[in-house]
């Protein structure tokens, strides 16, 4: 837990506004996440998960506490394109075609263009054949998959996924889970994944953090010591039940 | 010697073929002229027969003969003459004594060096069926005019003992439509433009020239700065020489001058018949016994005194120093 | 219902026009189509050449002016601190009346087309600036976050996100600019030109030559309409992306005190530019009065009190017409935009007329309005409304079209009906564009009133400026310009405050950064 390369949140808290109308979105929170692992964040809607992720990405300044990833602040990390985030609403640029949107991830990360790699990512997320479509011509789930491809295109050290599969059907989700997890395992990417699906959290991650209703605080920290690929098993079911229990409070 | 010389010697005859030749000459002359001092003459309005004397001077090389290469700068609704002359963009501007007086009172260093219109062209135009033939006829009438010209109306009333309170002033745009539409009974305008336009549209109008009722203000005056008078005398003399020759030819044949104008400015949208009528109507304003005796552009101490009186009524007090006859004297003295 | 063929409708309209023109021939206001056709037939060459000249000037002014407008908008987004200063300068430049700029430009450029091009350019800078600025800001928070999450700065954000997002707004800006540039080129010819449609207009009006007046006006209108339609078609060809829901976090960090300090700084910059430009070009004081001269004239001179009283009385008269005219113009523009959204076929009629009114010089349309409505307040207010409603109409139409698709679908799914949809989705989506046009309309309304006063009512600052310009009273002229500028800035600040109050709730992305 003292690995200097880890992602460390120390007393991180966030309050929106001030005075009577203030909203405490994230309670002071201390977490350390080992490098190269995948961590799932689960919690009730509106509890502050996205806010936490945005703070880690440096998009929102914490009102308290500090964040370090491998000794770097989110801002330095951002500046060297060390992180990538897939947003809850996909945030694809409507005037770019799918290929352009994926290439944008590489471009924004200042990596050399690599059309073949982009196409491989598009295939990976199951969108082959749609390269020349614009976002408006894609379904909600297809857009989310495109957003994941874009996030991967920049080859980040820290990958922040905010409900990336929210609109994806169960079967595709499972297939994506099966294909994406090895990918970021192999790259050594540190991944944070916000999800509302308990089974997905357990299947994909090395560790599940369960948050309380707002203001978010960690109420359970559940390790997932299962080998991959993870097929349905009694151990998996037990872990899911543990997470559900924590969610129920 | 420029190629226009042979034409110059000929009498001015108003044939169409002549005019065409003149027009062609006008296009060629500036390019073929010898190296000459450049000078700009700022006109007070869009190109029209109003400045035909200048066009004749240019097309026949009168300025070239005098060693001057003159550019004619057209005016327009938003192109006051005074600024370019003050700034030195133009050597000479075509103004009027009242405008010049106002500018001088605002600190402009102008002198009037010649007078093209001995009689002021301001007039009151009315429909022939409802005529205003005398200043007293204005009582009880609606007059359309730019409010900027209020002093003119006031001066006219003062000169003719008319109570201005009895006149209804309607601020109008400068065109004849309000009169023909019956929005007003008469218009304050130039005798040489709106009445001519109405005539061309088949509308008879009565034109009462203010100059015939005591309004003595030199118009279409040549103005230059004191600095030019001191340092560019020769150019001023040359420019006025060309003007005087040009207007002399104009006097001999106003119709040919109208033809030339239309030929020289085919893009100005000029109507030949309108230009002819205007050319004819401005002759009595520009040429008089005085000019017959002394030459075009001349002014005397008496006419200046009369101007000073009217200008005082207009609220633009000036002294006789505003007029400087030395350039004209040099032109006519040299023959 | 029997549908009449289009040709029949047009023929009937033309016939009606012809008959009406013949019936009112004594009034010399409306030319009959046959007379116009005859004039065009006889003067084809003349019209062709004049169109070439004015069109070329308008095109150059269009290019330069829009370029300047876009650059200003980019600068304002990249350097948010500079926004207020840039806005103030652009606003003041737009307020400069022709009586002041005409002679200065003529002296600066000498003979030639410089002044015309400059005036055409000046007449589009401000509107394009505002349109593009709105577009550059019409970006959802998540796109900004996307670029920021890669640590990319404002320049990348601009190039990859904001600029493409602003394209539809640029199209709107260019559509507004097309007739304005044409009008600017024509009016520019009033500063002394040898040829062009503006010259022909003046000539025709003075000559009581109705067919010529109408022919030139229709020509100017037709060309502007062609440009308007062409730019619109180009915009559609670019298949500009359907809009997103623009959700941005509210930002109330910026205090009012900061804003007013910026405003004062902007005025100081404007004064410095005024003084500096005149000094740099060594313009004679006689007609190019400096800020100090105006201060003397209005404050320290012995008769300063009288000067002030004179000027303020005129300003008061002007504002009593300008404000209702401003309101009427905005309502007309926004109302027509809503109407066209509810009944799109009407666009075929409304848009051409609107473009025409925007591209024909007011000296040509004012006689018609005065003839129809008289010289009273109704006439002047109409002149103002007619001159300013067009940018509002175009901006609002584009704004209405920016209504987010999912929200439209939501309302449709409840079968809400066009009126509810208009009220619930489209009008809120239109608000940023509406406020941008309300800001554009401030200087436009002032210019319109001064023109109406000069042409029709003979009251107020417009008449005062015409009078003092004709008597070389340039101290009063520049004082009037300064006062007009201040009035425009004050009105603009008022509109901007209202805008902030409303957009804070409906479109917070417009207020960020
Ligand atoms: N910019 C903001 N200003 C004010 N309050 C905010 C802001 N952003 C989020 N909040 C509030 O913070 C709380 C947490 O929001 P957040 O988006 O982090 O929730 P979440 O856990 O991601 O929920 P969901 O699972 O529904 O996405 C919410 O109550 C929300 O209203
Ligand atoms: Mg969330």
């Amino acid at each position: 837990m003292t690995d200097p390369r880890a992602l460390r949140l120390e007393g991180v808290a966030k309050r929106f506004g001030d005075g009577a109308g203030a909203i405490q979105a994230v309670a002071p929170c201390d977490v350390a996440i080992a490098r190269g692992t995948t961590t799932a964040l689960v919690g009730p809607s509106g509890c502050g998960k996205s806010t936490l992720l945005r703070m880690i990405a440096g998009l929102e300044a914490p009102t308290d506490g500090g964040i370090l990833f491998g000794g770097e602040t989110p801002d330095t990390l951002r500046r060297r394109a060390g992180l990538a985030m897939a947003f809850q609403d996909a945030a694809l640029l409507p005037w770019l075609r799918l290929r352009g949107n994926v290439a944008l991830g590489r471009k924004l990360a200042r990596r050399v263009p690599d059309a073949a790699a982009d196409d491989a990512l598009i295939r990976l997320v199951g969108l082959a054949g749609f390269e020349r479509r614009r976002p408006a011509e894609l379904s909600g789930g297809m857009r989310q998959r495109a957003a994941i491809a874009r996030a991967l295109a920049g080859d980040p050290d820290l990958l922040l996924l905010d409900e990336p599969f929210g609109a994806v059907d169960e079967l595709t989700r499972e297939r994506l889970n099966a294909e994406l997890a090895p990918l970021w395992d192999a790259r050594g990417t540190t991944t944070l994944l916000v999800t509302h699906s308990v089974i997905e959290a357990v299947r994909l991650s090395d560790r599940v953090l369960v948050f309380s209703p707002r203001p978010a605080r960690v109420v359970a920290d559940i390790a997932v010591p299962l080998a991959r690929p993870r097929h349905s098993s009694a151990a998996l079911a037990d872990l899911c039940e543990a997470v559900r229990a924590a969610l129920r409070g | 010697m420029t190629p226009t010389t042979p034409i110059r010697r000929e009498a001015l005859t108003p044939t169409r073929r002549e005019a065409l030749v003149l027009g062609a000459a006008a296009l060629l002359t500036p390019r073929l002229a010898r190296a000459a001092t450049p000078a700009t003459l700022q006109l007070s309005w869009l190109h029209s027969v109003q400045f035909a004397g200048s066009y004749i001077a240019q097309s026949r090389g009168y300025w070239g003969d005098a060693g001057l290469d003159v550019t004619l700068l057209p005016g327009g609704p938003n192109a006051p003459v005074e600024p370019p002359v003050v700034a030195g963009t133009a050597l000479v501007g075509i103004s009027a004594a009242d405008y010049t007086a106002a500018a001088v009172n605002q600190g402009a260093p102008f002198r009037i060096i010649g007078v093209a219109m001995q009689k002021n062209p301001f007039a009151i135009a009315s429909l022939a069926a409802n005529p205003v033939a005398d200043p007293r006829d204005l009582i009880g009438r609606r007059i359309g005019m730019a409010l900027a010209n209020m002093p003119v109306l006031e001066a006219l009333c003062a000169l003719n003992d008319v109570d201005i309170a009895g006149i209804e002033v309607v601020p109008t745009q400068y065109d004849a439509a309000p009169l023909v539409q019956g929005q007003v009974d008469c218009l304050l305008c130039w005798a040489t433009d709106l009445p001519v336009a109405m005539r061309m549209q088949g509308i008879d109008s009565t034109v009462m020239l203010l100059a015939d009722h005591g309004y003595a203000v030199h118009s279409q005056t040549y103005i230059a700065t004191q600095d030019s008078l001191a340092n560019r005398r020769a150019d001023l003399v040359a420019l006025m020489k060309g003007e005087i020759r040009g207007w002399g030819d104009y006097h001999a044949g106003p119709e040919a001058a109208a033809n030339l104008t239309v030929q020289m400015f085919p893009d100005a949208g000029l109507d030949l018949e309108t230009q002819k009528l205007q050319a004819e109507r401005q002759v009595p304003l520009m040429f008089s016994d005085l000019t017959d005796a002394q030459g075009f552009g001349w002014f005397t101490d008496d006419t200046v005194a009369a101007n000073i009186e009217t200008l005082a009524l207009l609220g633009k007090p000036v002294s006789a120093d505003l007029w400087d006859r030395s350039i004209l004297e040099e032109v006519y003295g040299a023959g | 219902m029997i549908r009449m063929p289009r040709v029949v409708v047009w023929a009937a309209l033309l016939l009606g026009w012809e008959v009406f023109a013949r019936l009112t021939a004594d009034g010399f206001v409306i030319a009959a189509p046959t007379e116009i056709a005859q004039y065009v037939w006889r003067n084809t060459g003349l019209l062709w050449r004049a169109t070439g000249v004015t069109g070329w000037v308008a095109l150059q002014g269009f290019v330069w002016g829009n370029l300047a407008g876009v650059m200003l908008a980019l600068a304002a987004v990249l350097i948010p601190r500079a926004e207020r200063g840039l806005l103030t300068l652009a606003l003041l430049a737009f307020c400069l009346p022709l009586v002041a700029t005409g002679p200065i430009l003529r002296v600066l450029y000498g003979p030639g087309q410089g002044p015309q091009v400059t005036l055409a350019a000046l007449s589009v800078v401000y509107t394009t600036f505002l349109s593009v600025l709105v577009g550059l800001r019409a970006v959802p928070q998540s796109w900004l976050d996307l670029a920021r999450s890669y640590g990319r700065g404002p320049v990348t954000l601009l190039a990859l996100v904001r600029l493409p997002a602003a394209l539809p707004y640029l199209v709107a800006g260019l559509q507004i600019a097309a007739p304005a540039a044409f009008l600017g080129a024509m009016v520019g010819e009033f500063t002394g030109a040898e040829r062009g449609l503006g010259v022909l207009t003046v000539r025709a009006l003075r000559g009581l030559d109705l067919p010529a007046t109408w022919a030139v006006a229709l020509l100017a209108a037709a060309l502007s309409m062609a440009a308007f339609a062409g730019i619109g078609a180009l915009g559609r060809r670019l298949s500009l992306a359907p809009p997103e829901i623009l959700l941005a976090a509210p930002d109330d960090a910026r205090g009012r005190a900061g804003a007013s300090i910026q405003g004062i700084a902007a005025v100081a910059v404007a004064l410095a530019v005024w003084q500096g430009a005149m000094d740099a070009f060594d313009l004679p004081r006689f007609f190019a009065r400096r800020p100090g001269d105006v201060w003397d004239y209005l404050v320290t001179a012995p008769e300063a009190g009288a000067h002030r009283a004179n000027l303020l009385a005129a300003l008061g008269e002007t504002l009593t017409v300008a404000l209702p005219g401003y309101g009427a113009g905005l309502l007309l523009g926004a109302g027509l935009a809503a109407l066209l959204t509810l009944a799109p076929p009407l666009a075929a009629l409304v848009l051409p007329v609107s473009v025409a009114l925007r591209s024909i010089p007011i000296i040509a349309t004012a006689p018609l309005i005065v003839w129809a409505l008289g010289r009273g307040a109704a006439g002047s207010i109409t002149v103002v409304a007619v001159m300013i409603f067009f940018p509002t109409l175009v901006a609002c139409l584009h704004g209405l079209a920016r209504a987010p698709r999912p929200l439209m679908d939501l309302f449709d799914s409840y079968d809400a009906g066009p009126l509810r949809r208009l009220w619930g989705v489209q009008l809120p989506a239109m608000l940023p564009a509406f406020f941008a046009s309300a800001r554009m309309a401030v200087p436009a309304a002032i210019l319109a009133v001064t023109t109406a006063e000069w042409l029709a009512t003979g009251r107020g600052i417009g008449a005062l400026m015409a009078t003092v310009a004709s008597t070389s009273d340039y101290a009063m002229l520049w004082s009037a310009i300064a006062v007009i500028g201040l009035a425009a800035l004050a009105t603009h600040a008022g509109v901007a405050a209202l805008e902030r109050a409303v957009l804070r709730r409906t479109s917070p992305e417009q207020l960020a950064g």
Side-chain angles (χ1 to χ4, degrees):
Chain A
M1 277 295 171
T2 48
D3 178 3
R5 301 182 314 128
L7 170 66
R8 311 171 64 87
L9 280 63
E10 280 168 12
V12 173
K14 179 73 186 180
R15 190 174 47 244
F16 289 107
D18 40 29
I23 294 177
Q24 184 77 36
V26 178
C29 138
D30 293 285
V31 181
I33 288 166
R35 190 122 186 161
T37 61
T38 300
T39 307
L41 313 180
V42 297
S45 173
C47 74
K49 304 178 297 291
S50 294
T51 306
L52 192 65
L53 226 53
R54 291 170 56 77
M55 286 192 288
I56 296 170
L59 297 175
E60 205 90 67
T63 27
D64 262 315
I67 300 170
L68 285 179
F69 178 71
E72 289 177 298
T73 62
D75 279 338
T76 21
L77 188 62
R78 254 184 333 130
R79 293 224 178 86
R80 66 165 183 83
L83 66 84
M85 182 159 176
F87 295 87
Q88 208 166 349
D89 70 350
L92 301 180
L93 298 186
W95 54 86
L96 293 180
R97 298 174 196 283
L98 169 61
R99 186 179 270 142
N101 265 299
V102 173
L104 184 68
R106 207 175 291 279
K107 196 165 177 176
L108 283 170
R110 294 195 188 82
R111 311 264 191 261
V112 279
D114 185 345
D118 292 341
D119 284 350
L121 283 171
I122 291 173
R123 271 197 304 281
L124 179 70
V125 296
L127 289 178
F130 291 91
E131 289 86 350
R132 299 193 48 76
R133 299 299 172 138
R134 293 188 197 274
E137 300 167 306
L138 303 179
S139 74
M142 290 161 93
R143 286 181 217 170
Q144 288 189 326
R145 286 185 270 154
I148 293 172
R150 180 177 63 193
L152 291 172
D155 200 10
D157 296 334
L158 180 61
L159 182 63
L160 305 169
L161 304 172
D162 196 351
E163 289 178 50
F165 312 113
V168 179
D169 70 278
E170 190 71 33
L171 286 180
T172 312
R173 219 180 234 247
E174 281 178 13
R175 190 184 64 73
L176 281 175
N177 291 351
E179 291 181 12
L180 288 176
L183 188 77
W184 57 66
D185 278 349
R187 291 188 184 191
T189 316
T190 309
T191 307
L192 260 63
L193 165 78
V194 172
T195 175
H196 283 298
S197 159
V198 172
I199 175 96
E200 180 172 275
V202 175
R203 216 189 267 270
L204 273 180
S205 64
D206 303 308
R207 182 177 171 199
V208 180
L209 295 176
V210 182
F211 287 88
S212 68
R214 189 174 61 80
R217 74 180 80 246
V218 181
V219 289
D221 184 346
I222 299 166
V224 186
L226 300 181
R228 296 175 209 269
R230 294 170 180 163
H231 301 292
S232 301
S233 66
L236 199 110
D238 288 348
L239 281 166
C240 287
E241 200 34 59
V243 173
R244 286 205 186 92
L247 273 172
R248 273 182 229 113
Chain B
M1 189 157 293
T2 68
T4 54
T5 321
I7 302 167
R8 201 183 84 208
R9 299 249 161 81
E10 284 175 22
L12 207 62
T13 47
T15 68
R16 196 169 167 73
R17 194 166 45 82
E18 259 301 304
L20 276 172
V21 173
L22 285 176
L27 292 174
L28 293 174
T29 309
R31 251 161 256 159
L32 296 177
R34 294 161 301 175
T37 318
T40 298
L41 174 58
Q42 173 70 56
L43 307 176
S44 55
W45 190 246
L46 302 170
H47 286 306
S48 76
V49 79
Q50 186 183 347
F51 311 107
S54 308
Y55 308 149
I56 295 173
Q58 194 172 49
S59 69
R60 301 190 170 180
Y62 293 167
W63 282 316
D65 293 351
L68 212 58
D69 176 13
V70 175
T71 304
L72 296 175
L73 213 58
N78 274 305
V81 171
E82 294 77 16
V85 180
V86 169
T89 315
L91 176 65
V92 171
I94 306 287
S95 179
D98 45 352
Y99 282 82
T100 313
V104 166
N105 287 339
Q106 295 293 335
F110 291 142
R111 290 286 180 263
I112 295 173
I113 60 168
V115 176
M117 284 200 179
Q118 302 289 334
K119 277 181 143 187
N120 194 284
F122 257 131
I124 289 179
S126 49
L127 296 179
N130 180 22
V132 174
D134 184 274
R136 273 180 296 276
D137 295 346
L138 283 168
I139 301 288
R141 293 282 195 8
R142 296 164 302 171
I143 182 168
M145 56 189 264
L147 280 199
N149 288 326
M150 257 331 264
V152 176
L153 187 65
E154 284 162 3
L156 180 73
C157 290
L159 287 165
N160 294 277
D161 284 329
V162 173
D163 180 11
I164 196 165
I167 308 172
E168 186 186 337
V169 174
V170 180
T172 56
Q173 190 168 2
Y174 193 86
D175 82 54
L179 178 61
V180 298
Q181 289 166 7
Q183 294 177 22
V184 294
D185 301 308
C186 53
L187 290 172
L188 180 62
C189 60
W190 275 31
T192 51
D193 53 21
L194 301 190
V196 169
M198 287 193 278
R199 181 79 290 254
M200 299 312 295
Q201 298 294 330
I203 301 162
D204 278 324
S205 61
T206 300
V207 181
M208 180 188 86
L209 207 58
L210 302 198
D212 292 338
H213 296 274
Y215 187 81
V217 174
H218 286 147
S219 192
Q220 210 151 320
T221 50
Y222 297 86
I223 59 167
T225 60
Q226 288 170 3
D227 182 65
S228 300
L229 272 162
N231 300 315
R232 292 192 67 185
R233 266 199 105 68
D235 295 341
L236 288 176
V237 169
L239 191 135
M240 289 309 293
K241 235 180 210 165
E243 281 287 308
I244 288 164
R245 286 176 78 184
W247 285 106
D249 290 0
Y250 175 95
H251 196 189
E255 205 173 314
N259 281 321
L260 172 71
T261 304
V262 174
Q263 289 298 328
M264 271 180 82
F265 302 104
D267 290 351
L270 296 168
D271 172 59
L272 181 59
E273 294 311 312
T274 308
Q275 293 300 300
K276 281 182 183 168
L277 186 55
Q278 184 177 342
E280 192 185 301
R281 288 202 181 178
Q282 71 190 15
V283 168
L285 302 177
M286 308 182 88
F287 302 97
S288 63
D289 295 345
L290 174 67
T291 59
D292 287 346
Q294 301 287 341
F296 171 85
W298 196 260
F299 49 86
T300 66
D301 292 350
D302 286 347
T303 60
V304 167
N307 264 264
I308 291 174
E309 228 170 90
T310 308
L311 288 172
L313 281 175
L314 289 170
K316 290 158 187 163
V318 284
S319 76
D321 292 343
L322 179 59
W323 284 262
D324 184 328
R325 212 167 50 203
S326 62
I327 300 292
L328 285 179
E329 280 162 1
E330 212 172 317
V331 173
Y332 286 116
Chain C
M1 198 179 91
I2 308 158
R3 274 194 48 184
M4 276 192 294
R6 239 158 220 256
V7 194
V8 178
V9 176
W10 281 107
L13 277 176
L14 273 179
L15 190 69
W17 177 0
E18 180 81 28
V19 170
F20 187 63
R22 299 278 172 191
L23 288 178
T24 57
D26 288 348
F28 279 89
V29 277
I30 296 170
T34 48
E35 295 172 318
I36 299 171
Q38 204 172 26
Y39 177 86
V40 172
W41 176 250
R42 288 207 189 121
N43 297 281
T44 318
L46 174 69
L47 289 172
W48 179 251
R49 293 191 302 272
T51 306
V53 170
T54 307
W56 172 233
V57 166
L59 185 66
Q60 293 174 73
F62 182 80
V63 169
W64 288 119
N66 283 311
L67 216 58
V70 171
M71 300 305 261
L72 283 174
L74 293 182
V77 168
L78 283 179
I79 320 163
R81 271 168 199 289
E83 178 190 336
R84 203 167 268 267
L86 294 172
L87 203 75
T88 305
L89 286 181
L91 174 74
L92 291 176
F94 196 74
C95 279
L96 285 176
L98 197 57
V99 282
T101 45
I104 288 186
L105 291 173
R106 194 44 81 189
V107 165
L108 287 181
Y109 286 101
Q113 296 181 334
Q116 290 98 299
V117 172
T118 308
L119 286 167
L122 273 180
S123 57
V124 308
V125 174
Y126 185 64
T127 50
T128 300
F129 173 35
L130 283 188
S131 302
V132 174
L133 189 59
V134 170
L136 290 172
R137 296 226 168 106
V139 165
Q141 182 71 41
S142 62
W143 300 356
L144 304 182
D145 287 345
L146 174 70
R148 279 179 60 208
S149 70
Y150 286 97
R152 302 307 293 264
V155 178
T156 310
L157 188 67
L158 195 66
L160 294 182
V161 177
R162 287 197 194 272
L163 268 180
L167 259 187
Y169 294 81
L170 176 65
V171 168
L174 295 182
Q175 283 193 305
I176 292 170
F182 210 85
L183 181 63
M186 282 175 85
V187 171
E189 290 168 16
F190 297 177
T191 64
E194 297 210 347
R195 51 183 70 85
L197 291 174
V199 169
L200 294 186
T201 301
V202 175
R203 186 83 68 196
L205 282 170
R206 291 248 167 143
L208 211 58
D209 189 349
L210 274 192
T213 309
W214 279 70
V216 173
L218 289 177
L219 197 58
L223 285 169
S224 299
M225 267 180 259
F228 181 85
I231 296 166
L234 195 72
R236 282 188 296 279
R237 275 284 304 275
L238 291 175
S239 67
L240 298 167
E244 296 277 315
I245 302 181
L246 302 183
L247 288 180
D251 162 46
D252 35 25
R254 293 213 297 197
R256 304 306 309 152
S260 54
I261 287 169
Q262 276 193 22
I264 291 167
V267 171
V269 169
L271 289 176
V273 169
W274 175 2
Q275 173 90 35
M278 284 184 173
D279 286 350
F281 290 106
D282 202 18
L283 291 173
R285 271 208 141 69
F286 166 64
F287 63 94
R289 299 291 164 122
R290 299 350 189 223
D293 301 325
V294 168
W295 179 263
D296 283 349
Y297 185 78
L298 290 180
V299 182
T300 54
E303 313 88 33
H307 297 157
R308 273 200 311 271
N310 210 344
L311 187 57
L312 291 181
L315 180 69
E317 285 175 357
T318 298
L319 291 182
T320 42
V321 178
L323 294 177
Y326 176 74
L330 286 188
L331 272 182
L332 185 64
L336 277 177
L339 184 71
L340 293 190
T341 306
L342 293 178
L346 279 181
L349 183 69
V350 172
L351 282 179
V353 174
S354 310
V355 177
L357 286 172
R358 183 66 190 118
S359 51
I360 301 169
I362 197 79
I363 61 163
T365 36
L368 195 66
I369 295 175
V370 168
W371 173 74
L373 297 169
R375 293 180 188 279
S380 316
I381 291 173
T382 307
V383 169
V384 178
V386 157
M387 275 182 79
I388 67 167
F389 86 97
F390 178 70
T392 310
L393 169 62
V394 175
C396 289
L397 272 180
H398 279 264
L400 287 170
R402 303 303 291 165
R405 173 82 107 352
L407 291 184
M408 297 289 280
D409 292 347
L410 172 73
F411 274 63
D412 285 349
S413 70
Y414 289 102
D415 196 18
L419 259 180
R420 276 199 80 123
R421 210 173 55 184
L422 183 71
W423 183 251
V425 183
Q426 291 169 307
L427 283 183
M430 181 194 89
L431 282 174
F434 172 78
F435 276 108
S437 65
R439 298 211 252 156
M440 287 174 202
V442 169
I446 290 178
L447 280 188
V449 183
T450 53
T451 314
E453 288 171 335
W454 165 47
L455 295 175
T457 68
R459 298 161 61 87
I461 286 231
L464 179 73
M465 287 197 300
T467 305
V468 298
S470 72
T471 55
S472 297
D473 190 355
Y474 288 100
M476 182 55 121
L477 181 62
W478 280 99
S479 301
I481 292 168
V483 166
I484 287 179
L486 284 178
L489 282 181
T491 318
H492 186 270
V495 175
L498 189 66
E499 175 181 27
R500 293 188 80 80
V502 174
L503 293 193
R504 169 162 294 148
R505 292 189 289 140
T506 59
S507 308
E509 78 279 355
Q510 290 295 331
L511 306 179

